[in-house]
Amino acid sequence: MSTADSPTDLMERIVALCKRRGFIFPSSEIYGGFNGFFDYGPLGAELKKNIRDCWWNDMVRRRDDIVGLESSIIMHPKVWEASGHVAGFTDPLVDCKVSKQRYRADQLFFAAVVVDGKTVGYVSALESERTAEELQAAAENFKRKKGIQGALLSVQPKDMTEAKPEEIALIPSPATGEPGSLTPPRSFNMMFQTNVGAMTDGSSVAYLRPETAQGMFVDFKNVVDTGRVKLPFGIAQIGKSFRNEITPRNFIFRSREFEQMEMEYFIHEDADWAKCHQEWIAWCQAWLLSIGLPESHLSLYAHPKEKLAFYSKGTVDIMFKYPFGVQELWGIAARGNYDLTQHATASGKPMEYFDEATKKKFVPHVIEPAVGVDRILLAALCAAYAEEDVKDEKGNVEKRTVLRFSPRLAPVKVAVLPLMKNKPEIVDVAEKLYRKLKRKWNVFYDESGAIGRRYRRQDEIGTPWCVTIDFETIEKDGTFTLRERDTMQQRRITETELFQLLEERVY
Ligand code: GAP
């Protein structure tokens, strides 16, 4: 397999393919786009729906211990006070007073330029896979430009949250290259505010939810009282969340409007939370493999104890190797009974569970696997994308771009291709098959162009199978040619076998 040359190149090609084939568009593109917002086109909407459906089926419908929920996006503002978001859902922000650019302080790196043991200046760079190299190159450049003689020490990168007050004025802004314009980091609350009702004063302030999780905590009692659930059990939700990210970036990886799939798994206060945590980490890893993400791209990151919130017992992130670096895909947190206790205190309504066996009441603890649909979609796109040299029917080498989506995720499951569009007998069979398949799956009908070209078009959008209706179909035994995307091999298949194949592989 040959892919693009550099990670940036590769991302650019994936973004271009998404635009070209109708997966993802910049939001409000005719008005110049809107930073941090995206639209999903026809194929992207299908792909996203398949991710949601796989998760919902596996997480909720196929289990006996998890129920679903759909809570409102705008909740009572007291929810966000109790959860700690109003006071603490912040990122450190640095402004450049000259360029008016804003940076997340923990993503803006700097280093002292040290020559012969003496600090002679500072350099800065934005976080990337190559931050250390960029800072080193900038330090060498700085020394050369200033004509400073002596031995340059290897740079020691730090982020702006670690900058001492006296250093801030000396660190150059990445926008201007000059020092003196960066402000000290300050806390920036990432919740989007709105007003509910006709008044627009402080009394009507509300927030677009920054996570779906609080819906599960706030409705905990309602579900327990109505859902016939017994501990341990989970409440799951899929829905939009909104964060006013300072620096949305890496395409849909970090955006301002995104979709989360979260599940709160409530356990007994005395349960072995560490075991349950491990089980959910394993479940999430297995689920990612089931939708076709390669094991080689997945790893685990355990948050260091000293960086955890005071109530958290442990958080492990499943990381994914994106072209722009290894980044968080799925967080699995053991949150104790913090959230339910907070809401009980703030609302004055008990959030306890009555244990029939012991006749005791207690506030359950929770394990929370929380993942972004858009991040899974981007991981699936990046893992699936390949460019290869293949031979056409005449033996000439040509490039094929292919998305090797798992059949579970592929936006189009089968393409139905009549070999010739001017042979009514062929077209008739093809149309009938297309209509029959379409009742259950998203299927595409394509009769235009040479068959090889049609295969390529399907490869590029990740369709796992093409079915060609040809002369053998109508003149011999009614079988079709099944062409597989990954091997490009062809074989004859009956209609019954085709339906069986789809039932088995698309679940
Ligand atoms: N309730 C816990 C919670 O929301 P989080 O780590 O802030 O935890 C969970 O978010 C997941 O949501 C992340 O692992 C990521 O997949 C996704 N996510 C978070 N912020 C995002 C953003 N700005 N854009 C896209 N996905 C995001």
Side-chain angles (χ1 to χ4, degrees):
M1 183 188 85
S2 86
T3 43
D5 321 314
S6 73
T8 325
D9 249 18
L10 177 57
M11 265 321 286
E12 275 170 13
R13 289 184 203 207
I14 292 172
V15 173
L17 172 79
C18 284
K19 175 86 204 296
R20 188 170 71 245
R21 298 309 309 267
F23 281 92
I24 303 169
F25 311 123
S27 165
S28 321
E29 198 182 7
I30 57 167
Y31 293 101
F34 201 35
N35 196 11
F37 297 89
F38 293 90
D39 294 344
Y40 287 83
L43 290 175
E46 282 292 333
L47 179 57
K48 211 170 174 205
K49 180 175 177 345
N50 293 343
I51 293 172
R52 279 192 225 111
D53 287 352
C54 285
W55 189 88
W56 192 261
N57 285 336
D58 292 341
M59 179 65 94
V60 183
R61 291 200 174 152
R62 291 177 182 145
R63 294 183 65 112
D64 299 325
D65 56 347
I66 298 183
V67 292
L69 180 79
E70 222 176 290
S71 64
S72 55
I73 286 176
I74 299 179
M75 300 165 83
H76 197 293
K78 283 192 177 155
V79 169
W80 306 108
E81 281 166 29
S83 66
H85 284 80
V86 170
F89 194 59
T90 56
D91 267 345
L93 168 76
V94 166
D95 282 298
C96 169
K97 287 180 284 188
V98 172
S99 69
K100 307 292 177 216
Q101 293 283 333
R102 297 187 136 184
Y103 303 99
R104 236 175 84 170
D106 55 347
Q107 292 173 352
L108 173 51
F109 283 76
F110 72 96
V113 182
V114 182
V115 178
D116 287 342
K118 204 171 145 232
T119 297
V120 294
Y122 286 83
V123 287
S124 64
L126 293 174
E127 185 186 39
S128 74
E129 276 292 273
R130 301 187 58 256
T131 308
E133 288 104 301
E134 278 176 27
L135 287 171
Q136 186 64 39
E140 279 159 20
N141 202 17
F142 180 94
K143 176 175 172 265
R144 196 173 49 251
K145 266 190 164 166
K146 301 262 174 198
I148 302 168
Q149 300 298 315
L152 176 71
L153 204 71
S154 286
V155 295
Q156 305 290 321
K158 290 183 187 166
D159 73 49
M160 285 296 284
T161 61
E162 303 168 280
K164 296 187 191 122
E166 63 273 19
E167 286 179 314
I168 288 171
L170 305 172
I171 297 169
S173 158
T176 62
E178 297 298 325
S181 64
L182 294 179
T183 62
R186 65 186 165 90
S187 291
F188 173 79
N189 194 302
M190 289 193 288
M191 280 199 295
F192 280 104
Q193 270 192 26
T194 185
N195 293 88
V196 174
M199 305 294 284
T200 51
D201 59 11
S203 68
S204 64
V205 166
Y207 306 94
L208 303 195
R209 69 178 173 203
E211 60 170 27
T212 60
Q214 294 306 319
M216 277 81 98
F217 297 123
V218 169
D219 275 328
F220 171 76
K221 262 294 187 192
N222 282 335
V223 174
V224 170
D225 293 345
T226 58
R228 302 170 70 91
V229 286
K230 279 213 169 95
L231 282 188
F233 73 90
I235 310 179
Q237 166 157 229
I238 300 179
K240 288 262 177 147
S241 292
F242 303 83
R243 296 183 189 178
N244 197 1
E245 297 281 356
I246 299 167
T247 48
R249 59 187 187 153
N250 290 328
F251 197 28
I252 55 170
F253 177 81
R254 188 181 304 287
S255 50
R256 290 178 166 142
E257 174 178 338
F258 55 99
E259 207 164 346
Q260 286 186 309
M261 306 193 289
E262 297 196 279
M263 194 277 293
E264 306 300 329
Y265 199 70
F266 297 99
I267 55 176
H268 197 285
E269 58 177 351
D270 299 328
D272 185 348
W273 69 267
K275 182 163 166 268
C276 186
H277 191 213
Q278 285 308 319
E279 283 166 1
W280 276 110
I281 296 166
W283 189 95
C284 297
Q285 284 174 303
W287 188 80
L288 291 172
L289 299 182
S290 85
I291 57 157
L293 296 196
E295 201 165 2
S296 57
H297 285 46
L298 301 174
S299 54
L300 294 181
Y301 169 74
H303 289 227
K305 286 239 155 17
E306 63 278 11
K307 292 214 166 163
L308 292 175
F310 70 92
Y311 54 81
S312 176
K313 298 185 166 199
T315 298
V316 170
D317 291 339
I318 301 180
M319 311 292 283
F320 184 80
K321 195 161 83 183
Y322 291 96
F324 44 83
V326 174
Q327 298 281 345
E328 174 190 335
L329 175 60
W330 200 332
I332 301 118
R335 298 178 63 89
N337 62 7
Y338 174 77
D339 303 270
L340 287 181
T341 307
Q342 285 293 104
H343 288 302
T345 311
S347 67
K349 306 280 183 328
M351 289 286 177
E352 288 160 324
Y353 176 87
F354 179 70
D355 188 2
E356 293 284 352
T358 58
K359 306 287 179 216
K360 268 185 164 171
K361 280 183 179 175
F362 59 89
V363 181
H365 288 222
V366 77
I367 306 290
E368 176 194 76
V371 69
V373 181
D374 315 76
R375 270 193 203 178
I376 291 184
L377 193 145
L378 183 58
L381 267 172
C382 295
Y385 185 90
E387 290 168 18
E388 327 173 304
D389 289 333
V390 292
K391 286 197 177 140
D392 67 11
E393 303 95 85
K394 293 181 189 134
N396 301 322
V397 175
E398 60 171 20
K399 240 193 204 349
R400 106 164 162 147
T401 302
V402 56
L403 286 175
R404 297 183 194 279
F405 288 133
S406 85
R408 293 192 84 188
L409 292 196
V412 176
K413 308 300 181 196
V414 186
V416 177
L417 318 174
L419 187 65
M420 303 175 85
K421 64 174 171 188
N422 53 4
K423 286 271 173 246
E425 316 90 285
I426 289 185
V427 170
D428 188 44
V429 176
E431 278 180 358
K432 280 199 180 110
L433 177 67
Y434 168 68
R435 294 274 157 224
K436 212 165 165 186
L437 286 165
K438 217 171 155 56
R439 280 190 227 143
K440 291 199 82 172
W441 299 285
N442 192 37
V443 187
F444 194 80
Y445 186 87
D446 187 3
E447 56 179 21
S448 58
I451 198 76
R453 297 264 312 263
R454 285 187 260 169
Y455 287 154
R456 292 284 174 278
R457 287 204 287 262
Q458 294 305 316
D459 290 343
E460 211 187 28
I461 62 167
T463 307
W465 300 287
C466 291
V467 175
T468 305
I469 291 79
D470 46 29
F471 287 104
E472 241 181 287
T473 316
I474 50 168
E475 286 167 7
K476 273 175 87 184
D477 52 7
T479 61
F480 318 115
T481 301
L482 181 85
R483 186 259 192 187
E484 296 194 331
R485 177 197 65 204
D486 296 344
T487 59
M488 294 190 289
Q489 281 178 355
Q490 303 184 8
R491 64 187 161 99
R492 303 298 300 178
I493 191 168
T494 64
E495 190 179 303
T496 311
E497 285 166 343
L498 176 64
F499 275 76
Q500 265 169 10
L501 175 75
L502 284 160
E503 291 287 356
E504 267 167 38
R505 302 288 303 279
V506 183
Y507 57 96

